[in-house]
Amino acid sequence: MKTLTILIPEGQNNLSSVIGPYKFFLKANKHYRSLGKEEIFRVQVAGVSGDSELYGGLFSIHPHASIRDIARTDVLIIPALAHENLEEVVKQNEEAVNWVLGQYRKGAEVASICTGAFLLAATGLLEGRSCSTHWNAAAKFREMFPGVNLQTDRLITDEYGIYTNGGAFSFLNLMLYLIEKYYDRSTAIVCAKVFQVDIDRNSQSPFTIFNGQKNHSDDVVLQAQAFLEKHLDAKVNMDELAGNLSVSRRNFDRRFLKATGNTPVEYQQRVKVEMAKKSLETGRKTVNEVMYETGYSDVKAFRDLFRRITGLSPQAYRNKYNKDVVDNVY
């Protein structure tokens, strides 16, 4: 029988991403037993320093073992970390980082949940590879690990025995993905039905909230961002905007990309789509009316852009999130 280990890092403060994997794999084992098959995994929880208290002592985790006593595991799951002070949490987990790296080198496959990707990235295993994490932690991740190909639209990444996933409870889809890989499709479907999780969901784009990346000190870029956000219904000429800010277009694009992670055009598109999303979620305006409000007049162009950023068409997005939706179409 193989061993699956759920790691409890120092400063762990996310209970759901520990309980979730534990219950999913126990259920998969139980299903296999009901079919007269042998269990695939012995599931264990391993800590760095004994018991862990979460949420101010409201809950606690009592690991089965210490990582120091585990010479080898076949699969290793890193749960989500607290979103606050991610840099500090990674620093205090040097022992866990080295242990994860050592296990991978011995042949273990490693999966990170949500912000657990920060601890995984600290091993260096994600350098030059694709990775996902919670969209709300993307800016911090890029700052700390610029050599990783972060893809926050992806719900799951799978490269060289390393798996990552997006944010919050999207880890349930990663569990189904792993169960299908290690058990079979029918077992994954059983788990999906028991835990009532939509199977085969592969994007977290519909759940992303674009707040604008303003955690930087480039005053020129901040002025440009403010201008773009104020003129959502206009088609802004970026050459003119750069000139008004007394910088060349090439320098403007370079500084904007460095500060925000987007080109000026991409930033404008994302701001417009975020405005459109809010209108579609709460209002009774038609998709065409929302399109015109955000400065677009070409239905196909607007639809293609909206789908590229959110993963859904404007009408599908509206149907999904607006409870008062009316049957107004293009």
Side-chain angles (χ1 to χ4, degrees), residues 148-168:
V148 179
N149 179 22
L150 185 63
Q151 300 185 30
T152 52
D153 60 320
R154 296 273 296 280
L155 199 69
I156 296 169
T157 66
D158 175 352
E159 290 184 11
Y160 304 101
I162 298 174
Y163 312 89
T164 69
N165 91 283

Side-chain angles (χ1 to χ4, degrees), residues 53-71:
E53 289 194 345
L54 295 83
Y55 304 105
L58 184 62
F59 302 105
S60 61
I61 299 175
H62 310 286
H64 296 110
S66 165
I67 61 172
R68 302 177 190 91
D69 300 325
I70 300 174

Side-chain angles (χ1 to χ4, degrees), residues 147-266:
V148 179
N149 179 22
L150 185 63
Q151 300 185 30
T152 52
D153 60 320
R154 296 273 296 280
L155 199 69
I156 296 169
T157 66
D158 175 352
E159 290 184 11
Y160 304 101
I162 298 174
Y163 312 89
T164 69
N165 91 283
F169 287 91
S170 68
F171 78 84
L172 300 176
N173 291 92
L174 175 60
M175 295 305 104
L176 293 178
Y177 183 86
L178 294 177
I179 286 169
E180 181 173 354
K181 175 183 173 68
Y182 296 123
Y183 295 78
D184 50 44
R185 175 72 174 182
S186 62
T187 303
I189 291 173
V190 167
C191 289
K193 289 182 176 180
V194 168
F195 295 109
Q196 299 188 35
V197 180
D198 288 335
I199 199 166
D200 293 333
R201 188 162 67 88
N202 56 21
S203 173
Q204 63 174 344
S205 294
F207 304 99
T208 301
I209 301 172
F210 185 72
N211 294 315
Q213 306 100 321
K214 298 194 176 74
N215 188 25
H216 61 83
S217 57
D218 192 321
D219 188 57
V220 167
V221 175
L222 287 171
Q223 290 181 61
Q225 288 175 279
F227 183 88
L228 292 173
E229 291 168 12
K230 187 177 180 180
H231 298 85
L232 286 174
D233 59 346
K235 184 174 286 188
V236 177
N237 185 307
M238 295 302 173
D239 289 320
E240 291 181 5
L241 179 56
N244 291 338
L245 294 168
S246 302
V247 293
S248 69
R249 175 63 190 274
R250 182 177 179 181
N251 190 33
F252 177 58
D253 286 355
R254 181 186 61 78
R255 290 171 64 171
F256 206 104
L257 183 62
K258 181 180 179 182
T260 70
N262 294 115
T263 67
V265 172
E266 289 170 343

Side-chain angles (χ1 to χ4, degrees), residues 6-13 18 46-49 52 77-81 89 92-93 96 119:
I6 301 168
L7 173 66
I8 308 299
E10 290 288 292
Q12 174 64 25
N13 203 36
V18 175
V48 176
S49 58
S52 298
I77 295 178
I78 305 171
L81 308 175
V89 172
Q92 73 183 86
N93 272 288
L119 194 148

